[in-house]
Amino acid sequence: MTILETARIQLREFTPEDADALVRVLSDPETMRYYPAPYDRAGVEHWIERNRQRYQDDGVGLWAMELKKTNELVGDCGIICQQVEGEYLYEIGYHLRRDLWGQGLATEAAIACRDWAFAHLKTERLISLIRPENLPSRRVAERNGMTVWKEINWPEFTHYVYSVEKPSAP
C-alpha cells in the first residue's frame, strides 16, 4: 500500500518479501555505524515485522522507500511513535542504501513525511533522534527544517533531539 509519493520515490508499507532488499541497507556496517550493530537477516525480518505491527497499532511506521524509476527498494523512511523523557512524540526516521547517499533522496523522503504527518496526524511537533557524530543524518534533519531542541541520553547513547513545529495556519 503506497502511503505517499514524491518526484523520485514512493513510500509504501513493508511486506515480508522486502527482507532481501532491506538487508543491503540495514546490514551495511557503514550505514548502521551509529546503531549498536548492523542487523543480520533475522534482525531485518524482525525490523519489518515490528514496522508492520506499528502500522496496526499506531497508524504509522517506517515505510519501504522505492525509486519510482525502477521500483527498487533502497531504504526506509517514515514516522514512528517514540517515548522521549516520558513524552510520546512522532519521529521521522530514515535509512538509505549507501551507494545512493548524497543525491537528496533521504531529504526528499523526510520532507514528504514531515508534510504528511502535519496533514494527517494530531501533532504540533515532529522530532528526529540523531547521535551528534552522525553528520549526514543531522544535515537531512536540518534540510527538513529541524533544529536541535535538546540533548538526551537515549537509550544508552547521547542523542540530539531535532524538532520542527507545525506551521500556524495563515
Side-chain angles (χ1 to χ4, degrees), residues 9-26:
I9 60 172
Q10 68 178 12
L11 298 176
R12 63 163 175 80
E13 291 186 356
F14 276 111
T15 67
E17 294 75 31
D18 291 324
D20 286 341
L22 195 58
V23 161
R24 292 189 59 200
V25 180
L26 300 182

Side-chain angles (χ1 to χ4, degrees), residues 2-13:
T2 299
I3 306 299
L4 57 91
E5 291 188 35
T6 68
R8 298 182 293 166
I9 60 172
Q10 68 178 12
L11 298 176
R12 63 163 175 80
E13 291 186 356

Side-chain angles (χ1 to χ4, degrees), residues 32-37 84-85 129-134 150-161:
M32 302 305 286
R33 71 187 287 195
Y34 300 108
Y35 275 69
V84 177
E85 296 183 320
L129 294 159
I130 304 171
R131 300 223 349 234
E133 59 274 24
N134 188 345
K150 57 185 169 180
E151 184 177 312
I152 62 170
N153 284 325
W154 184 89
E156 63 224 33
F157 298 103
T158 298
H159 281 74
Y160 287 153
V161 181

Side-chain angles (χ1 to χ4, degrees), residues 87-100:
E87 184 178 6
Y88 285 96
L89 300 166
Y90 287 110
E91 179 190 17
I92 297 174
Y94 37 84
H95 302 90
L96 181 65
R97 206 173 66 207
R98 186 166 29 125
D99 62 312
L100 297 170

Side-chain angles (χ1 to χ4, degrees), residues 64-125:
M65 184 191 312
E66 290 184 336
L67 295 177
K68 285 170 69 173
K69 190 187 292 186
T70 62
N71 290 328
E72 181 182 15
L73 189 149
V74 296
D76 65 29
C77 187
I79 301 158
I80 59 175
C81 195
Q82 294 281 20
Q83 186 174 2
V84 177
E85 296 183 320
E87 184 178 6
Y88 285 96
L89 300 166
Y90 287 110
E91 179 190 17
I92 297 174
Y94 37 84
H95 302 90
L96 181 65
R97 206 173 66 207
R98 186 166 29 125
D99 62 312
L100 297 170
W101 288 2
Q103 298 178 29
L105 292 167
T107 299
E108 188 175 319
I111 289 170
C113 285
R114 177 200 66 200
D115 295 346
W116 183 93
F118 283 141
H120 293 91
L121 301 174
K122 290 183 172 136
T123 186
E124 298 300 314
R125 176 188 305 271

Side-chain angles (χ1 to χ4, degrees), residues 124-166:
E124 298 300 314
R125 176 188 305 271
L126 298 167
I127 65 165
S128 285
L129 294 159
I130 304 171
R131 300 223 349 234
E133 59 274 24
N134 188 345
L135 296 178
S137 283
R138 290 177 59 187
R139 284 193 292 272
V140 170
E142 289 161 4
R143 286 192 294 266
N144 198 11
M146 295 181 156
T147 56
V148 175
W149 177 31
K150 57 185 169 180
E151 184 177 312
I152 62 170
N153 284 325
W154 184 89
E156 63 224 33
F157 298 103
T158 298
H159 281 74
Y160 287 153
V161 181
Y162 274 81
S163 172
V164 63
E165 292 188 10
K166 185 177 189 173

